[in-house]
């Protein structure tokens, strides 16, 4: 019976690495799609096999000793003291094993940290709870937010295949180029993690960490924030679309044109008076997408955490209209209220503030125009 048990244990050890690589047992590390990610996977498996061999030897000797030197067979415990040879052996053998493990580990770590001679540099900035991507030397930048609907999150409709792993604006990269990431944060510690690239770096406020990747094949690759960063930590997905160089160049050209057109539209809005109906419609859409998580769809807030906007505070006081604009644009220090000035267009900012001042029975009758928001962005005093 004991011999059969030992045989089963040994076979389990031998079969585990093979089983771990099958789809029926998705417990192993992701192999990834880059050369570095494959190095990381190979290192992982090398260390794993070394541990398996050590386990087989150690437990094999232990079980053999238990079986062959049991009391029922008349075994008598030997009485002996220290052995210099044994002391030397159990010092040298682990040392050699550690050196054998350190060489490939060091090689892989050096490859992971080598951000030199990059072709493209992208700044990745985490904030509660979204990512901002800025392409250096290209005048292209945008925020990437969760695209999963609140109805799916609240189980009001069926969840899609990429539930909580879909965004409105993915990061687009070319294949075959070395991409350097400069990773930082606006508020708390986040972590930018894409398993397929073997890239996982903390985004620390006030610091910049570096990482890099070179994608070999076009495709869509997903990740998420891997550092507990607050109540919506689970809603910070990352989506990267890798395109051929030609497709990437076309996307970059189109994105530049779109952002330039948006800037020109904002400048045009500065001399316009948008009607209440238009502002309220856009304001409701913007509020539900950006503000309702904290202040709630009904404007009632969360007591002790996020103040209510319905029927109280700056949202209903005519004398505090400028302060209301400033809080939305610049945020509020010492609180969870972040600055939306860099995130939203002038039209969206004007609309959402107008909505907050007229929804839920607030009914101030006031409209906020783009020129007023621009004045606060330019530093108009309260």
């Amino acid at each position: 019976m004991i011999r059969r048990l030992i045989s089963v244990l040994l076979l389990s050890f031998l079969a585990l690495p093979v089983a771990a690589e099958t789809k029926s047992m998705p417990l192993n590390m992701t192999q990834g799609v880059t050369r570095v990610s494959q190095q990381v996977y190979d290192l992982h498996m090398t260390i794993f096999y070394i541990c398996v061999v050590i386990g087989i030897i150690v437990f094999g000797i232990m079980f053999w000793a238990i079986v062959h030197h049991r009391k029922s067979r008349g075994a008598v415990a030997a009485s002996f003291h220290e052995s210099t040879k044994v002391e030397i052996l159990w010092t040298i053998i682990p040392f050699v094993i550690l050196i054998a493990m350190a060489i490939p580990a060091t090689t892989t770590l050096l490859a992971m940290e080598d951000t030199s001679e990059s072709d493209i540099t992208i700044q990745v900035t985490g904030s509660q709870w979204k990512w901002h991507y800025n392409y250096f030397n290209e005048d292209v930048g945008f925020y990437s937010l969760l695209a999963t609907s609140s109805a799916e999150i609240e189980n009001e409709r069926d969840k899609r295949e990429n539930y909580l792993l879909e965004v409105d604006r993915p990061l687009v990269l070319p294949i075959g180029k070395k991409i350097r990431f400069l990773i930082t944060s606006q508020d708390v510690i986040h972590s930018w993690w894409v398993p397929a690239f073997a890239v996982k770096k903390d985004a620390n406020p006030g610091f910049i960490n570096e990482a890099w990747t070179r994608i070999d094949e076009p495709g869509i690759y997903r990740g998420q924030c891997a550092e507990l960063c607050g109540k919506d930590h689970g809603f910070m997905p990352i989506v990267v679309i890798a395109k051929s160089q030609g497709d990437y160049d076309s996307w970059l050209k189109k994105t530049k044109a779109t952002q330039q057109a948006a800037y020109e539209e904002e400048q045009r809005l500065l001399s316009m008076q948008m009607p209440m109906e238009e502002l309220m419609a856009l304001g409701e859409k913007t509020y539900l997408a950006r503000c309702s998580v904290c202040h709630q769809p009904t404007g009632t807030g969360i007591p002790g955490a996020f103040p209510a906007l319905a029927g109280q505070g700056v949202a209903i006081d005519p004398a505090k209209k400028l302060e209301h604009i400033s809080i939305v644009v610049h945020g509020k220090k010492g609180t969870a209220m972040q600055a939306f000035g860099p995130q939203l267009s002038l039209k969206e900012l004007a609309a959402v503030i107008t909505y907050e001042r007229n929804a839920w029975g607030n009914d101030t009758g006031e409209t906020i125009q783009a020129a007023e928001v621009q004045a606060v962005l330019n530093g108009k005093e309260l």
Side-chain angles (χ1 to χ4, degrees):
M1 182 66 183
I2 294 178
R3 289 181 180 179
R4 180 177 295 181
L5 177 61
I6 293 173
S7 299
V8 170
L9 289 172
L10 290 176
L11 288 172
S12 298
F13 270 117
L14 291 171
L16 185 58
V18 177
E21 296 187 57
T22 67
K23 292 183 179 180
S24 61
M25 186 180 178
L27 301 177
N28 205 3
M29 177 179 283
T30 301
Q31 290 198 43
V33 295
T34 65
R35 186 176 301 175
V36 167
S37 67
Q38 189 60 52
Q39 283 183 257
V40 172
Y41 178 81
D42 291 342
L43 173 64
H44 162 74
M45 293 309 299
T46 298
I47 304 302
F48 179 79
Y49 283 123
I50 290 174
C51 292
V52 168
V53 171
I54 292 173
I56 291 173
I57 293 173
V58 171
F59 283 98
I61 294 173
M62 183 182 74
F63 284 120
W64 179 86
I66 291 172
V67 172
H68 289 273
H69 297 284
R70 60 188 187 274
K71 184 178 180 181
S72 61
R73 295 190 61 178
V76 178
S79 179
F80 61 91
H81 204 255
E82 61 196 32
S83 169
T84 302
K85 292 181 180 180
V86 172
E87 294 276 358
I88 293 173
L89 280 175
W90 72 33
T91 300
I92 292 178
I93 293 175
F95 178 78
V96 171
I97 293 172
L98 288 174
I99 294 298
M101 296 167 72
I103 292 173
T106 302
T107 302
T108 301
L109 287 172
L110 289 174
M112 293 174 68
E113 298 298 326
D114 181 17
T115 59
S116 62
E117 300 181 0
S118 59
D119 300 303
I120 298 172
T121 298
I122 296 175
Q123 180 174 318
V124 180
T125 305
S127 62
Q128 294 176 309
W129 286 272
K130 64 187 76 67
W131 298 101
H132 180 259
Y133 300 113
N134 182 40
Y135 292 67
F136 279 26
N137 303 319
E138 296 292 352
D139 293 326
V140 170
F142 53 85
Y143 284 86
S144 181
L145 286 82
L146 175 73
T148 300
S149 68
S150 58
E152 291 176 73
I153 296 172
E154 295 167 4
N155 295 316
E156 295 174 356
R157 57 181 291 188
D158 293 338
K159 294 173 172 54
R160 293 181 289 190
E161 179 182 358
N162 295 307
Y163 174 70
L164 296 185
L165 289 175
E166 50 193 350
V167 299
D168 57 350
R169 300 201 65 183
L171 176 65
V172 179
L173 301 175
I175 63 172
K177 297 290 186 179
K178 186 170 185 177
I179 316 296
R180 176 182 176 224
F181 300 111
L182 302 179
I183 302 172
T184 186
S185 170
Q186 282 187 333
D187 35 52
V188 298
I189 299 176
H190 303 279
S191 186
W192 199 79
W193 176 46
V194 181
F197 302 162
V199 173
K200 180 179 179 293
K201 281 288 183 179
D202 280 353
N204 300 311
F207 295 89
I208 293 179
N209 287 325
E210 292 184 276
W212 73 276
T213 192
R214 181 184 282 110
I215 309 167
D216 298 323
E217 296 292 335
I220 300 176
Y221 308 104
R222 303 179 189 275
Q224 55 197 141
C225 177
E227 186 71 38
L228 186 59
C229 58
K231 63 181 286 291
D232 283 347
H233 159 68
F235 306 122
M236 282 186 69
I238 300 160
V239 179
V240 179
I241 298 181
K243 297 177 176 284
S244 65
Q245 187 63 51
D247 289 343
Y248 171 77
D249 290 338
S250 298
W251 172 85
L252 193 62
K253 182 179 179 181
K254 181 179 179 180
T255 303
K256 284 183 179 180
T258 301
Q259 294 194 352
Q260 179 61 29
Y263 173 76
E264 293 172 358
E265 173 68 12
E266 286 197 340
Q267 297 307 303
R268 187 177 66 86
L269 285 172
L270 294 177
S271 59
M272 291 180 58
Q273 291 289 315
M274 291 181 287
M276 174 70 80
E277 294 75 14
E278 182 181 357
L279 287 167
M280 288 296 288
L282 177 59
E284 181 179 18
K285 179 181 177 182
T286 306
Y287 179 87
L288 292 175
R290 300 298 189 98
C291 313
S292 63
V293 171
C294 297
H295 294 289
Q296 302 301 294
T298 56
T300 53
I302 299 176
F306 303 104
L309 299 174
Q312 59 183 285
V314 296
I316 61 170
D317 190 342
K320 294 185 176 181
K321 182 174 74 171
L322 201 58
E323 181 181 348
H324 188 182
I325 299 173
S326 181
I327 290 174
V328 174
V329 169
H330 298 304
K332 192 170 184 179
K333 291 183 178 180
T335 73
M337 180 62 191
Q338 57 188 287
F340 283 95
Q343 304 180 38
L344 302 176
S345 67
L346 289 178
K347 188 174 183 179
E348 289 172 323
L349 289 166
V352 75
I353 298 169
T354 298
Y355 178 77
E356 291 174 355
R357 300 185 73 79
N358 291 279
W360 319 300
N362 286 354
D363 300 330
T364 65
E366 299 172 336
T367 63
I368 307 298
Q369 300 298 327
E372 296 176 275
V373 177
Q374 184 64 60
V376 173
L377 282 168
N378 291 339
K380 182 176 180 179
E381 297 294 332
L382 297 178

